[in-house]
Amino acid sequence: MVLLPGRPRGRQGAWAVKALVLVSLVALVGCGQGESVSGHGEAQAVENHISHSNASARAIPEMRWPRNRIAISVDRPWARKAGKVWSNRLPISFVYGKRGMIKFGGYQQRTGKVGWAITQFIGSEIISCTIYINPAYLNRKPIDKTFAHELGHCLGMNYHSKGKGLMSRFAKTRKISKSTIKYLRSKYK
């Protein structure tokens, strides 16, 4: 259960907390991109622990952004390059350098993870996503490719695709598989 500071007390407060717990979840997607076992790791903000080794992708509700125009907090050439990977193939667009929906959390070290994304959603609506990049891999993995991969998770891709495409566990290429495009197009019509 998530404990919120200053939450209401009594019957109304108990109902509000139960509703919040039922409709919100924070999913942490850590991508090893070939360096480790990847998938959902332990979420630090809640007590839910979801792992691909013990839960299917169906354990997480289908989710998407409420609009097809999505703000990304960072405005760097590598972020724009990563965004174009998706906006060229899906009916979505990005606004760069604006506060809001997708945040770049910065560079943090995490053993065996090239990058990871923390997605918060209520029901089936994504309300925020934060991407982190491990600086230990910057000399081996292009930041735009890692950011594009994590951006895919921020768009609602809750699992890794098969093969060698951008959303595969190993992300060998920048190419997005047909099945990934079909899956995300079904969300962003």
Side-chain angles (χ1 to χ4, degrees):
M1 175 180 282
V2 180
L3 297 178
L4 303 172
R7 66 181 169 90
R9 303 281 181 217
R11 275 184 153 171
Q12 187 177 11
W15 179 86
V17 171
K18 286 178 186 173
L20 178 64
V21 170
L22 289 173
V23 298
S24 72
L25 174 68
V26 176
L28 173 65
V29 180
C31 299
Q33 294 186 0
E35 309 302 299
S36 72
V37 176
S38 56
H40 302 285
E42 61 184 73
Q44 297 174 2
V46 294
E47 293 180 23
N48 296 347
H49 304 286
I50 301 170
S51 168
H52 270 317
S53 62
N54 62 17
S56 71
R58 295 184 207 332
I60 297 175
E62 291 296 315
M63 55 187 185
R64 60 158 282 159
W65 291 97
R67 295 180 300 276
N68 289 20
R69 188 168 171 85
I70 304 164
I72 297 178
S73 69
V74 64
D75 189 6
R76 304 283 176 131
W78 48 264
R80 286 181 174 271
K81 186 175 180 181
K84 282 184 183 178
V85 167
W86 295 105
S87 62
N88 286 343
R89 292 166 181 82
L90 298 172
I92 60 170
S93 62
F94 297 104
V95 179
Y96 299 90
K98 300 287 182 189
R99 262 182 30 184
M101 304 142 109
I102 298 176
K103 298 167 190 71
F104 177 54
Y107 303 99
Q108 290 189 12
Q109 296 219 351
R110 189 173 176 116
T111 304
K113 302 295 181 190
V114 177
W116 62 97
I118 300 173
T119 303
Q120 186 175 8
F121 56 99
I122 297 175
S124 62
E125 188 172 293
I126 300 172
I127 57 173
S128 74
C129 188
T130 305
I131 296 173
Y132 296 92
I133 304 291
N134 188 340
Y137 292 94
L138 288 176
N139 62 345
R140 291 184 274 166
K141 304 284 183 179
I143 190 170
D144 63 291
K145 186 168 112 178
T146 301
F147 197 80
H149 177 94
E150 299 308 331
L151 202 51
H153 290 305
C154 287
L155 292 173
M157 185 76 175
N158 302 326
Y159 56 90
H160 291 109
S161 63
K162 294 179 181 178
K164 298 178 182 179
L166 179 67
M167 290 310 297
S168 71
R169 189 174 120 193
F170 299 103
K172 294 284 185 188
T173 72
R174 285 182 168 83
K175 184 178 178 187
I176 303 171
S177 71
K178 289 178 183 178
S179 62
T180 298
I181 292 169
K182 183 178 177 181
Y183 174 72
L184 287 174
R185 277 188 182 158
S186 72
K187 293 180 178 221
Y188 297 97
K189 296 176 184 177

